[in-house]
Amino acid sequence: MTQEQYILASQPNPLQRPGCATVYPVGIYGWRKRCLYFFILLLLVTMIVNLALTIWILKVMNFTVDGMGTLRVTKEGIRLEGVSEFLLPLYVKEINSRRDSPLVLQSDRNVTVNARNNLGQLTGQLTVGSEMVEAQCQRFEVRSSDGETVLFSADEEEISIGTDKLRVTGPSARVGQTTFKVTLESGEF
């Protein structure tokens, strides 16, 4: 091959050969390709961080199939074990403690238990405070340990004491300054 033939073959020919179509590049090139890869990488990192935070929250909050932490969902309702703190009012149908431990309710000010009728009106209230226990209801009763005998009852009309013995103590009881009007229903005094 001569030098002239080599130079002619290596230089581009401005004339197009017949039968050759123009070749267009297919795909994404340059800065568009870099941005696409960057966004795919950013999406992948976001998904991994999201998955890691979700697993961390599930582990910290002690989520299980039965419930969350000491809160368990059972057939009878929700079971809460251990010490718990409620910041807002708690509305429940029934509260039970375990058979071997007492139920303890604590408050900085007082503990109030309200009873309402089906219309939502307040029908009874028991408040245990630091200086007194107050009950507001139509009738107040204290029963014996078996639950059958009424030891003390009070309403707006009368106070009833259902024990065999009544002892009045205090300074005025000793001096004789107390006057009682006693009505006996059983007969003897």
Side-chain angles (χ1 to χ4, degrees):
M1 186 154 129
T2 62
Q3 188 176 7
E4 290 178 9
Q5 289 175 341
Y6 178 73
I7 292 174
L8 288 175
S10 64
Q11 291 180 351
N13 188 1
L15 300 175
Q16 292 184 355
R17 295 180 186 162
C20 290
T22 307
V23 177
Y24 293 104
V26 178
I28 301 174
Y29 296 100
W31 67 271
R32 292 183 188 107
K33 187 176 188 179
R34 287 188 197 112
C35 284
L36 180 64
Y37 285 149
F38 173 73
F39 285 130
I40 290 174
L41 182 67
L42 185 67
L43 181 65
L44 183 66
V45 168
T46 304
M47 286 178 11
I48 290 172
V49 168
N50 191 8
L51 183 65
L53 286 174
T54 303
I55 292 171
W56 178 73
I57 288 173
L58 290 174
K59 197 164 249 330
V60 167
M61 297 299 287
N62 196 12
F63 278 100
T64 61
V65 177
D66 298 328
M68 176 182 75
T70 59
L71 187 70
R72 301 280 181 240
V73 179
T74 63
K75 290 180 182 178
E76 294 84 30
I78 296 176
R79 180 183 178 122
L80 184 61
E81 298 174 350
V83 177
S84 300
E85 182 176 341
F86 298 95
L87 301 176
L88 296 173
L90 175 66
Y91 299 98
V92 295
K93 180 180 176 185
E94 184 177 338
I95 298 177
N96 293 325
S97 68
R98 289 183 290 178
R99 293 184 184 180
D100 58 346
S101 64
L103 177 66
V104 178
L105 301 175
Q106 294 180 353
S107 174
D108 290 339
R109 296 188 187 130
N110 62 25
V111 175
T112 302
V113 178
N114 293 330
R116 298 184 181 273
N117 62 8
N118 56 356
L119 300 175
Q121 299 168 336
L122 187 66
T123 58
Q125 184 176 51
L126 177 68
T127 304
V128 179
S130 61
E131 297 180 3
M132 70 174 172
V133 175
E134 180 181 348
Q136 296 177 358
C137 54
Q138 292 179 355
R139 182 172 174 82
F140 178 75
E141 290 184 353
V142 176
R143 294 188 173 265
S144 63
S145 58
D146 60 2
E148 294 180 9
T149 308
V150 177
L151 300 176
F152 176 84
S153 68
D155 59 18
E156 291 182 3
E157 296 177 5
E158 70 176 353
I159 296 174
S160 167
I161 300 173
T163 61
D164 294 333
K165 293 182 182 180
L166 174 64
R167 181 169 54 174
V168 179
T169 61
S172 61
R174 291 185 193 128
V175 177
Q177 300 172 354
T178 306
T179 306
F180 290 103
K181 179 180 177 185
V182 178
T183 305
L184 296 175
E185 293 178 5
S186 61
E188 336 179 338
F189 185 85

